[in-house]
Amino acid sequence: MTTTTGADWAAWQQSWDRQQEWYMPDREERFRIMLDMVEALVGPAPRVLDLACGTGSITARLLARFPDAVSTGVDLDPALLAIAEGTFADDERVSFVTADLKTPDWPAQLPYDSYDAVLTATALHWLHSEPLAALYGQVAGLVRDGGVFMNADHMIDDSTPRINAAERALRHARMDQAKARGVLDWAEWWQLAAKDPVLAGPTARRFEIYGEHADGDMPSAAWHARVLREKGFGEARAVWCSPSDTLLLALK
């Protein structure tokens, strides 16, 4: 595990949440529905894989709601993992794995062979469709029979361009208003991280890995559901959506 002392991890978590909420005002709602469906399908003491976990946002909400849950976070971002590891350093229910989800062998690094639930949010749009489909095949191999996979992310339906344009215009107008009130955006948040004595090194390594931002795909919810069924899930459909985002659930 990374050495993560000397920083206010709770403050960094709050800062990350505020920055993410600038893009997604309904962020907590999608987490709530995600955990509702975990409880409904696999119960209140699940073994969870927090996929592309970032700072551990899903894990934090999981454990607050389900104290008997166990979580494995996997990510490649050294800065966000530093915050996650610092936050959960004393929690035996949580472990973290540094791995590249685009490689074929990353599941071998996990501490468990199977999980009740694999959960991810606002992360897999960094991948293009072909590696994402391959990842879905790997996820299907990790979810136990009767277990679930959920992905809350940007899922764009290209068949509705006028609706998409109107929604995007309103959303960005509201984001501009919030920005005028001093809300940090993605780039500004990372500028702060780069100046922090503990996070500066991990942040520099993070930009060596990713650059400014990836240019992945945002296929429709129908595409995600179809590919998940093709990869081995028995059922798949949206269980929550906003005008721009979808929480898609697949049941093994």
Side-chain angles (χ1 to χ4, degrees):
M1 226 180 224
T2 306
T3 301
T4 52
T5 56
D8 186 341
W9 300 120
W12 276 111
Q13 290 284 3
Q14 293 167 8
S15 176
W16 177 258
D17 283 345
R18 299 296 84 76
Q19 179 255 121
Q20 289 286 285
E21 286 166 358
W22 181 62
Y23 297 95
M24 298 165 288
D26 48 24
R27 184 167 176 256
E28 292 301 326
E29 178 73 2
R30 71 190 68 192
F31 288 145
R32 182 182 69 80
I33 299 298
M34 178 181 282
L35 296 181
D36 280 352
M37 299 312 295
V38 167
E39 182 174 6
L41 288 162
V42 298
R47 178 191 294 170
V48 170
L49 177 62
D50 187 350
L51 191 69
C53 64
T55 66
S57 297
I58 289 174
T59 292
R61 288 152 181 83
L62 173 80
L63 297 178
R65 178 158 166 179
F66 305 125
D68 293 327
V70 173
S71 179
T72 304
V74 59
D75 208 304
L76 186 61
D77 189 315
L80 297 185
L81 277 174
I83 296 172
E85 291 173 346
T87 300
F88 299 99
D90 298 322
D91 197 325
E92 295 180 352
R93 300 169 296 177
V94 184
S95 59
F96 291 99
V97 173
T98 301
D100 185 348
L101 298 179
K102 296 191 296 294
T103 61
D105 60 345
W106 69 266
Q109 298 176 243
L110 301 175
Y112 302 104
D113 293 331
S114 68
Y115 288 85
D116 301 308
V118 177
L119 309 176
T120 188
T122 329
L124 300 189
H125 65 270
W126 285 62
L127 298 177
H128 288 291
S129 297
E130 188 171 329
L132 179 56
L135 177 64
Y136 279 173
Q138 293 172 308
V139 168
L142 289 167
V143 176
R144 67 162 172 84
D145 287 346
V148 297
F149 167 69
M150 279 182 271
N151 179 15
D153 210 344
H154 312 310
M155 299 185 189
I156 306 303
D157 187 339
D158 290 332
S159 71
T160 59
R162 290 182 296 163
I163 296 171
N164 299 349
E167 180 280 324
R168 187 180 189 278
L170 178 62
R171 176 161 43 89
H172 279 264
R174 289 176 173 170
M175 289 168 68
D176 289 344
Q177 292 167 2
K179 190 80 183 298
R181 297 193 299 269
V183 175
L184 293 179
D185 65 16
W186 172 265
E188 291 166 335
W189 190 90
W190 281 109
Q191 288 168 11
L192 283 182
K195 295 174 183 176
D196 183 271
V198 176
L199 290 178
T203 297
R205 293 195 298 275
R206 180 239 182 251
F207 280 95
E208 290 173 2
I209 294 169
Y210 291 108
E212 290 299 322
H213 202 285
D215 57 349
D217 298 327
M218 287 180 275
S220 69
W223 180 93
H224 288 270
R226 175 180 58 79
V227 172
L228 286 162
R229 286 191 293 266
E230 290 173 354
K231 295 297 183 178
F233 287 91
E235 301 176 13
R237 71 166 175 88
V239 292
W240 173 92
C241 70
S242 72
S244 61
D245 289 18
T246 297
L247 171 58
L248 198 131
L249 184 153
L251 180 66
K252 187 75 176 287

